[in-house]
Amino acid sequence: MALNPQITNLIIILGMMQVSKKIPFDDPQVLMGVRILYIVSNVIIAGIYLYLQNKINSKKDLTTLKYVEPAPMGSADEPKLITTTVHSYDSQQLRSLWKSQLMGLGMMGVMHLYFKYTNPLLIQSIIPVKGAFEGNLVKIHLFGQPAIGDLKRPWKAAGGLMGMAGQGDPKADKKSIEQAERAGSGGVKEE
């Protein structure tokens, strides 16, 4: 039985916090080494995402994908039917991965360069790379796993804090799709 990725992240964070207490960040060479480690980890992630983008575009899977996207939590909106292709769905998922990586890079830049925090550099050199290799796109396009079971599109939203997602999971079952079509929320086509 594999551990939940959030649990392993917590274990890594707690372990790296203990390790980072013993690292002499006052030494300019050590600090430069940790900065280089952080930059290398981000270059690895960028390389993975560029490779994924190339694989997605070369496959250009135009298989139709229909699913019902739930309304945001606390919203009075109806769930809406999304009709798209596997290619555009994967491209959209990759764009969101790029956005989250750039957001983390920006936050880390502010924390390190402006507030002079150095300990998070070490943790953020490991966790995002681990997260990149655990992603569904990487499992399908890099490792060649079939898109069945948990890897069947549309994917469940990643749980936030304590496994709570901001909204429900997308539904691809026939009943939900027909219900959304009858409710008049169908026909939203994403390109």
Side-chain angles (χ1 to χ4, degrees):
M1 183 177 104
L3 279 176
N4 183 335
Q6 291 175 332
I7 301 295
T8 56
N9 283 353
L10 186 62
I11 292 168
I12 290 171
I13 289 171
L14 293 173
M16 292 311 292
M17 285 173 63
Q18 297 305 313
V19 169
S20 69
K21 288 179 183 177
K22 304 209 183 317
I23 295 177
F25 287 111
D26 299 338
D27 183 357
Q29 287 184 324
V30 171
L31 183 58
M32 186 56 70
V34 174
R35 286 176 179 161
I36 289 171
L37 178 67
Y38 179 71
I39 291 169
V40 167
S41 73
N42 279 286
V43 167
I44 289 170
I45 292 169
I48 291 169
Y49 290 171
L50 288 171
Y51 178 78
L52 288 178
Q53 189 171 10
N54 188 28
K55 287 289 271 191
I56 290 168
N57 290 335
S58 68
K59 283 183 182 179
K60 199 149 181 105
D61 188 351
L62 297 178
T63 306
T64 302
L65 178 65
K66 278 186 172 184
Y67 62 95
V68 178
E69 190 173 85
M73 191 178 241
S75 168
D77 295 341
E78 292 283 321
K80 65 179 179 179
L81 177 68
I82 305 291
T83 303
T84 186
T85 63
V86 169
H87 174 261
S88 66
Y89 181 80
D90 285 357
S91 296
Q92 174 193 9
Q93 295 297 312
L94 186 59
R95 270 193 303 278
S96 71
L97 289 174
W98 274 112
K99 283 180 188 175
S100 68
Q101 185 61 28
L102 291 173
M103 183 73 92
L105 193 63
M107 286 174 34
M108 196 64 237
V110 168
M111 286 175 61
H112 180 63
L113 299 174
Y114 186 72
F115 293 115
K116 307 291 186 218
Y117 291 132
T118 52
N119 292 7
L121 277 177
L122 195 59
I123 295 167
Q124 291 300 313
S125 298
I126 298 168
I127 298 291
V129 174
K130 177 186 169 289
F133 280 110
E134 290 173 342
N136 291 334
L137 282 174
V138 171
K139 289 178 183 175
I140 291 172
H141 294 290
L142 186 66
F143 299 140
Q145 294 180 7
I148 55 175
D150 285 344
L151 296 179
K152 188 172 193 284
R153 294 169 187 92
W155 298 312
K156 294 181 177 168
L161 186 65
M162 300 302 208
M164 294 175 8
Q167 59 185 31
D169 294 327
K171 295 178 182 157
D173 60 293
K174 223 174 201 172
K175 182 181 175 189
S176 299
I177 292 171
E178 287 174 358
Q179 191 175 12
E181 285 174 339
R182 273 188 263 116
S185 60
V188 178
K189 184 172 181 178
E190 291 191 350
E191 290 296 325

